[in-house]
Amino acid sequence: MKAAVLIQRWYRRYMARLEMRRRYTWNIFQSIEYAGEQDQLQLSSFFSFMLDNVTQLNGSGPDLISQLLDPLVDPWLDRERCYDQIPVPESYAGPRLSFSSLRLGHERSARLCTPDMFCSCCTRPKKLLKQMPNIIHLSTSYVNDITICGDLHGRLDDLLLIFYKNGLPSAETPYVFNGDFVDRGKKSIEVVVLLFAYLLLYPDYMHLNRGNHEDHIMNLRYGFTKEVMQKYKTHCHEILQLFQDIFSLLPIATVIDGKILIVHGGISDQTDLDFLSSIERHKVKSALRFPRRSLEQLDIGQSSRQAKRMRLTDGSRPSSSRSQSKNQRNQLTPSLRKRQRGLNQQDSAASSSSSSSSSSSSICSPRTPSCLSPRPCPSSPSMPYTINVLQVPFLDSLSSVPPPAPPRHDREWKQIVDILWSDPKSQAGCSPNTFRGGGCYFGPDITQRLLLQHGLQLLIRSHECKQEGYELCHGGQVITIFSASNYYEEGSNRGAYIKLGRELVPRFYQYQVSRTTRKLTLTQRVRVAEGSALRALKEKLFSHRSELVTGFQQFDQNSTGRLSVSEWAQVLESVLRLDLPWRTLRPHLCRLTADGSVEYQSCFEDMSTGIPLPTVAPNLAETLFRYRTDIEIIFNIIDKDHSGLISTEEFRHTWRLFSAHLGVDIDDRAIDELARSIDFNKDGSIDFTEFLEAFRVVHKLDIKDQPLKCS
């Protein structure tokens, strides 16, 4: 009997430790994902900055960034059968599309659809989507069940498995796909073509909601734009513009029997379904770009007079800081002075918004794209920071103006941002979603208020990966459904879908697409996912090495190289802001001394650079590591002929803009020397593959574990 009790205790402790590892692995994956979405908001701000400072990066026509962010109306896309003008090679032997009967015989084929068939499959839904309302209303009176699927993210295998288990879309098996069809996965094009084809076949039984990744700016970072450019090199620009139009035409919500609301992200305290039904959704091409507002809409004359009075009464700024700021501005080029002022505004606005409890929807990036950023500003030194005003550039000074009532297009944008980006929380109320960077957090009281206001009983949303594929919260009034299995790593999570019958009781169906997971034990699956998460976290530490070392040294006044565990964890959280259990993760990240102190330099011992490069500027390599993904996106856009080569002049010009936007202090000499060092064969062009390899984090332990090759 005692032996059985001991075995039971050991087993319970073992499973508890395994569950702890599983949970912090999940937290690492999710925190890094949301941090990446904040980086995406900063990247979209950089693209806007490029449009303001450079007209053309290459060639005589407008560059791809301009086409994506400020697209012109292409008459080619408005033609009735524009896809007929795309030539098809006679040697093509891939799938042919017939809308009278659609078969799944070629979804796993390695051959791509031809550009004409691809555009045909996307142009026809465009006309259909134009006729659809913003909110689709469905009924279970004429069907047995309605199937609701969450994020797919380019996972074709998950989509095919859903069709295999649940049946193909038809009058007997209607579907609602709740956004995020593209990005991250490798088969986004195949997923979209298949969904659009069934939308054309069964427009009354196949329904697609818009997600936050049905956004051309998100596609730049998370893979869909790159996939289109690689698979359809000749006509990629036309196809990307076509998708930009189609994504903006997707409905934003679905209501079943007037009782079940389906949106991609969530809601806020400002969500109004009646207002959402009346907006012009096609005008919001991207939720990441704040609607433009001209300064003519503001009373600049009056605001400048107010600003002068405020400057006369404001004596809190030291004269030394004024002269220092003036000297810094004089060192900037005229085209960058305006941007520097905008960055200063944005940083102040970000700090003020983080302490505010306002629940208004916004893109809460540390660097807000818009220069019209709300910030508190006192009218006198004694007045508390209670009045919100706008700081706008006027001539060579900043003018303070009261915020005007938001025009209709601003309200439309905010409502769509909330629908696409928001997340539920357990606490009551509504607050900005600073962790993800956009939308808001809505509590159970916000959910209940909206449901009662519109006579609803349930909210179904997606947008968040869940380990079991679904999750219930807010007393069962909110359901999160996620349909991309193995989202972070092989075996990291299941996918799921919901079936709703006439009784409107949700039934959940789980699955996992994998060829190897079934052969692994639970311990092995947790170990694989944990290893992948820790690798990503260590790369995050390495990319912020200088900031972390500076923070460590503030506590280590005697330069001993040691800190207490609490101080070490405090620095990590203040720099990375990932909200992770650092004390629990400490054994995986650094060493302890005999007295229990942390050797903080050991955090970086297991990593090194891919290819050694000369040190041309302090922290330059670290900066490139940190923004490697962003630079890859920019370089792929610059490389229009997809040769993998860009000129050194293009590299210099782009990096100067990038460093100015980020506020990185790197002079032109360092940039030129870096360009020459990357140009390995000295032909005046940079091999981008070698560039990325140079700024890749190599894990030394992985190299040690590799078997030795016999010569």
Side-chain angles (χ1 to χ4, degrees):
M1 186 65 181
K2 290 183 178 180
V5 171
L6 289 175
I7 293 173
Q8 186 181 55
R9 289 178 179 176
W10 171 86
Y11 179 76
R12 288 177 176 175
R13 285 196 298 267
Y14 173 79
M15 294 303 297
R17 288 194 296 268
L18 200 63
E19 178 64 18
M20 179 188 66
R21 292 169 59 191
R22 190 176 71 94
R23 290 189 179 185
Y24 72 61
T25 297
W26 188 261
N27 289 339
I28 293 173
F29 279 133
Q30 206 162 52
S31 297
I32 293 179
E33 178 191 4
Y34 292 166
E37 291 183 347
Q38 288 193 4
D39 293 340
Q40 167 60 35
L41 300 176
Q42 180 171 303
L43 179 63
S44 65
S45 176
F46 170 65
F47 288 153
S48 300
F49 176 59
M50 289 185 70
L51 289 178
D52 295 336
N53 289 273
V54 61
T55 56
Q56 297 179 7
L57 294 177
N58 190 10
S60 58
D63 56 88
L64 181 58
I65 297 178
S66 300
Q67 293 179 11
L68 289 174
L69 297 186
D70 291 307
L72 300 176
V73 178
D74 191 345
W76 182 86
L77 294 175
D78 291 335
R79 295 173 184 171
E80 190 69 21
R81 297 177 63 86
C82 56
Y83 46 85
D84 288 340
Q85 302 180 22
I86 300 178
V88 180
E90 296 180 358
S91 59
Y92 174 74
R96 299 282 180 176
L97 194 60
S98 174
F99 292 102
S100 59
S101 61
L102 184 67
R103 296 177 297 173
L104 292 176
H106 292 282
E107 273 70 19
R108 294 181 180 270
S109 173
R111 298 298 300 269
L112 284 170
C113 296
T114 58
D116 70 314
M117 185 166 59
F118 187 80
C119 290
S120 172
C121 198
C122 297
T123 304
R124 296 170 189 251
K126 180 179 176 181
K127 297 193 298 182
L128 181 63
L129 291 170
K130 283 182 178 179
Q131 304 171 5
M132 292 185 178
N134 297 333
I135 301 178
I136 303 296
H137 290 267
L138 305 179
S139 175
T140 59
S141 302
Y142 306 102
V143 295
N144 294 327
D145 295 295
I146 296 178
T147 304
I148 304 167
C149 301
D151 298 24
L152 288 170
H153 280 299
R155 266 76 169 182
L156 180 62
D157 288 340
D158 286 291
L159 178 61
L160 296 180
L161 182 59
I162 292 174
F163 287 164
Y164 174 78
K165 293 171 65 72
N166 192 63
L168 297 176
S170 64
E172 293 76 25
T173 314
Y175 279 88
V176 176
F177 285 89
N178 198 24
D180 280 10
F181 322 122
V182 300
D183 282 338
R184 301 187 185 275
K186 298 180 179 180
K187 297 292 183 67
S188 295
I189 289 178
E190 290 81 355
V191 169
V192 169
V193 168
L194 196 56
L195 293 178
F196 285 172
Y198 277 116
L199 176 65
L200 293 173
L201 275 175
Y202 304 105
D204 295 329
Y205 304 101
M206 183 70 166
H207 307 280
L208 308 177
N209 282 350
R210 184 177 181 179
N212 68 309
H213 279 265
E214 277 66 64
D215 187 307
H216 60 278
I217 298 182
M218 291 290 288
N219 301 153
L220 282 169
R221 182 183 183 90
Y222 291 103
F224 183 59
T225 298
K226 182 178 180 180
E227 181 181 345
V228 172
M229 295 177 71
Q230 288 179 344
K231 293 182 178 179
Y232 294 98
K233 297 181 179 180
T234 305
H235 303 281
C236 62
H237 293 184
E238 292 84 356
I239 291 175
L240 288 171
Q241 288 186 13
L242 182 59
F243 271 116
Q244 181 176 342
D245 292 339
I246 293 176
F247 287 163
S248 66
L249 291 171
L250 289 171
I252 54 180
T254 301
V255 176
I256 299 178
D257 288 347
K259 296 295 183 181
I260 311 294
L261 174 64
I262 306 173
V263 296
H264 176 74
I267 59 175
S268 73
D269 54 354
Q270 304 296 323
T271 300
D272 185 351
L273 296 185
D274 296 329
F275 180 76
L276 283 171
S277 300
S278 63
I279 69 175
E280 297 177 281
R281 66 180 186 273
H282 67 277
K283 291 185 177 180
V284 184
K285 299 292 184 182
S286 172
L288 298 183
R289 300 201 75 199
F290 190 83
R292 293 183 176 181
R293 182 183 301 170
S294 63
L295 295 180
E296 287 77 6
Q297 295 175 334
L298 306 174
D299 187 358
I300 299 299
Q302 179 181 359
S303 63
S304 62
R305 290 190 296 270
Q306 293 176 355
K308 290 181 180 178
R309 288 195 297 268
M310 293 169 63
R311 286 196 294 270
L312 291 174
T313 57
D314 185 9
S316 60
R317 186 178 179 182
S319 59
S320 59
S321 66
R322 287 198 300 267
S323 61
Q324 181 180 4
S325 176
K326 182 178 180 180
N327 293 333
Q328 292 176 351
R329 287 198 302 269
N330 291 335
Q331 295 174 359
L332 296 175
T333 61
S335 61
L336 297 179
R337 291 174 186 169
K338 179 180 178 181
R339 179 60 188 175
Q340 186 64 42
R341 290 196 296 267
L343 288 177
N344 294 336
Q345 289 176 246
Q346 293 161 4
D347 292 338
S348 301
S351 61
S352 63
S353 64
S354 62
S355 61
S356 173
S357 59
S358 172
S359 61
S360 60
S361 64
S362 62
I363 296 295
C364 307
S365 173
R367 301 184 188 273
T368 323
S370 174
C371 65
L372 300 177
S373 302
R375 60 178 294 184
C377 183
S379 58
S380 66
S382 60
M383 178 177 290
Y385 287 77
T386 56
I387 302 176
N388 287 333
V389 300
L390 293 176
Q391 295 285 332
V392 298
F394 178 67
L395 298 180
D396 288 333
S397 62
L398 292 178
S399 300
S400 301
V401 299
R408 179 178 175 86
H409 61 274
D410 285 8
R411 292 181 58 203
E412 293 177 355
W413 175 81
K414 291 179 180 179
Q415 294 268 329
I416 291 181
V417 168
D418 288 338
I419 289 292
L420 300 184
W421 279 86
S422 297
D423 294 311
K425 65 174 182 177
S426 56
Q427 298 82 8
C430 190
S431 59
N433 193 337
T434 54
F435 196 57
R436 194 186 280 272
C440 68
Y441 287 118
F442 62 97
D445 57 327
I446 305 299
T447 299
Q448 189 172 16
R449 183 199 309 171
L450 181 82
L451 297 182
L452 291 175
Q453 179 181 354
H454 297 280
L456 302 168
Q457 65 185 38
L458 181 64
L459 170 64
I460 298 179
R461 41 95 60 178
S462 302
H463 194 43
E464 287 184 287
C465 180
K466 300 299 179 182
Q467 287 184 307
E468 297 301 322
Y470 70 94
E471 184 180 80
L472 281 72
C473 62
H474 293 184
Q477 291 184 316
V478 174
I479 297 177
T480 299
I481 189 72
F482 197 85
S483 299
S485 62
N486 307 308
Y487 181 63
Y488 295 120
E489 183 60 46
E490 187 77 17
S492 62
N493 67 283
R494 296 181 180 181
Y497 58 88
I498 299 175
K499 299 190 73 170
L500 284 173
R502 298 176 183 177
E503 66 283 0
L504 297 181
V505 176
R507 305 190 304 276
F508 302 95
Y509 296 82
Q510 298 171 293
Y511 57 87
Q512 192 160 28
V513 176
S514 176
R515 298 178 181 177
T516 60
T517 303
R518 297 177 182 177
K519 301 178 183 179
L520 300 178
T521 64
L522 176 61
T523 304
Q524 291 172 329
R525 292 199 297 269
V526 171
R527 185 183 300 120
V528 170
E530 180 187 38
S532 178
L534 290 174
R535 282 168 56 92
L537 183 57
K538 289 180 179 180
E539 292 180 9
K540 196 79 173 176
L541 295 178
F542 191 79
S543 64
H544 291 78
R545 180 172 181 170
S546 63
E547 296 176 64
L548 290 171
V549 171
T550 301
F552 293 147
Q553 291 174 348
Q554 290 179 356
F555 288 96
D556 185 20
Q557 299 292 337
N558 298 325
S559 301
T560 62
R562 301 176 181 180
L563 292 177
S564 67
V565 176
S566 60
E567 292 171 340
W568 174 81
Q570 180 180 346
V571 172
L572 287 178
E573 182 57 35
S574 63
V575 172
L576 300 179
R577 299 184 182 277
L578 294 178
D579 193 23
L580 292 175
W582 296 109
R583 293 173 179 268
T584 304
L585 295 172
R586 198 274 315 155
H588 303 284
L589 301 177
C590 62
R591 293 194 307 269
L592 286 182
T593 61
D595 60 354
S597 301
V598 174
E599 296 181 6
Y600 54 80
Q601 289 290 351
S602 63
C603 296
F604 317 107
E605 289 181 351
D606 296 339
M607 291 162 289
S608 64
T609 60
I611 298 176
L613 289 173
T615 304
V616 297
N619 305 326
L620 176 58
E622 178 186 319
T623 303
L624 291 172
F625 279 124
R626 188 180 309 173
Y627 300 106
R628 179 177 179 271
T629 302
D630 298 343
I631 296 174
E632 181 180 2
I633 296 169
I634 297 165
F635 280 15
N636 282 327
I637 293 174
I638 297 173
D639 181 21
K640 291 187 175 182
D641 58 357
H642 310 284
S643 63
L645 300 173
I646 60 173
S647 68
T648 53
E649 182 59 33
E650 289 172 335
F651 172 80
R652 294 188 189 102
H653 190 56
T654 304
W655 180 248
R656 288 188 187 110
L657 288 173
F658 196 64
S659 59
H661 170 71
L662 297 174
V664 180
D665 187 16
I666 302 176
D667 57 19
D668 292 346
R669 180 194 59 80
I671 296 174
D672 292 340
E673 189 172 345
L674 175 65
R676 286 193 297 269
S677 65
I678 297 174
D679 184 11
F680 297 105
N681 56 3
K682 307 304 177 184
D683 62 349
S685 298
I686 297 175
D687 188 329
F688 188 49
T689 303
E690 293 179 350
F691 171 81
L692 290 179
E693 182 63 23
F695 297 101
R696 180 176 61 87
V697 178
V698 175
H699 295 258
K700 297 179 181 179
L701 295 179
D702 295 344
I703 298 177
K704 294 178 182 179
D705 294 338
Q706 291 178 358
L708 296 176
K709 296 183 180 179
C710 299
S711 57

